[in-house]
Amino acid sequence: QVQLVESGGGLVQPGGSLKLSCKTSGFMMKNYGIGWFRQAPRKEREGVSLISNNFGDSKYYAESVKGRFTIARDNGRNTVYLQMNKLKPEDTGVYYCARRRWGARTWNGESEYDLWGQGTQVIVSS
């Protein structure tokens, strides 16, 4: 079955850390860029990060998470990770991973992704 499944969300205090996982199946993950998006309550979904295909030589981050979040991939485990440090209340939301289309031109446009996971909830609160 072709799918992506996120895990690792939860409740964390401001300043804390979480590591999200995106487990893929049903396709050759190595051939695809994988991105992370998030949607906060009453806000539109926004791009958080992207790691390029193959060995992930190119990585992109939203300005709001640069220096705090790190994306990585393990092709042998068909999994992409998002390490989130120094979390802030504004990082609260549902986090989704998605498979980037071949030939996509932007890293954070939703239409550039053709397969999405169901999301995992992250709540940053004291």
Side-chain angles (χ1 to χ4, degrees), residues 4-5 13 27-28 30-31 38 77 95 103 108 114-115:
L4 301 91
V5 179
Q13 291 187 342
F27 64 96
M28 188 69 71
K30 182 178 180 181
N31 293 340
R38 69 186 179 188
R77 289 183 167 83
Y95 283 70
N108 58 354
D114 63 356
L115 185 66

Side-chain angles (χ1 to χ4, degrees), residues 11-126:
L11 173 64
V12 63
Q13 291 187 342
S17 298
L18 281 175
K19 185 175 184 178
L20 305 184
S21 298
C22 173
K23 175 72 173 174
T24 72
S25 59
F27 64 96
M28 188 69 71
M29 192 192 81
K30 182 178 180 181
N31 293 340
Y32 292 87
I34 302 293
W36 284 96
F37 287 74
R38 69 186 179 188
Q39 187 166 21
R42 298 175 297 281
K43 291 189 176 181
E44 293 187 354
R45 190 154 55 183
E46 63 173 353
V48 175
S49 185
L50 165 69
I51 188 165
S52 61
N53 60 350
N54 293 321
F55 301 107
D57 292 340
S58 297
K59 301 174 183 179
Y60 302 84
Y61 298 95
E63 285 296 325
S64 59
V65 307
K66 277 183 180 178
R68 300 188 297 121
F69 290 12
T70 303
I71 193 169
R73 65 189 299 149
D74 184 339
N75 293 330
R77 289 183 167 83
N78 295 315
T79 302
V80 171
Y81 304 97
L82 186 68
Q83 176 68 46
M84 307 188 296
N85 298 329
K86 300 179 181 177
L87 283 161
K88 304 175 181 181
E90 51 263 44
D91 294 318
T92 294
V94 178
Y95 283 70
Y96 302 87
C97 63
R99 187 180 73 178
R100 190 170 184 233
R101 299 178 190 276
W102 287 347
R105 295 188 176 186
T106 66
W107 78 266
N108 58 354
E110 287 189 53
S111 63
E112 306 283 41
Y113 294 78
D114 63 356
L115 185 66
W116 294 77
Q118 83 289 346
T120 185
Q121 177 76 56
V122 171
I123 300 173
V124 184
S125 175
S126 54

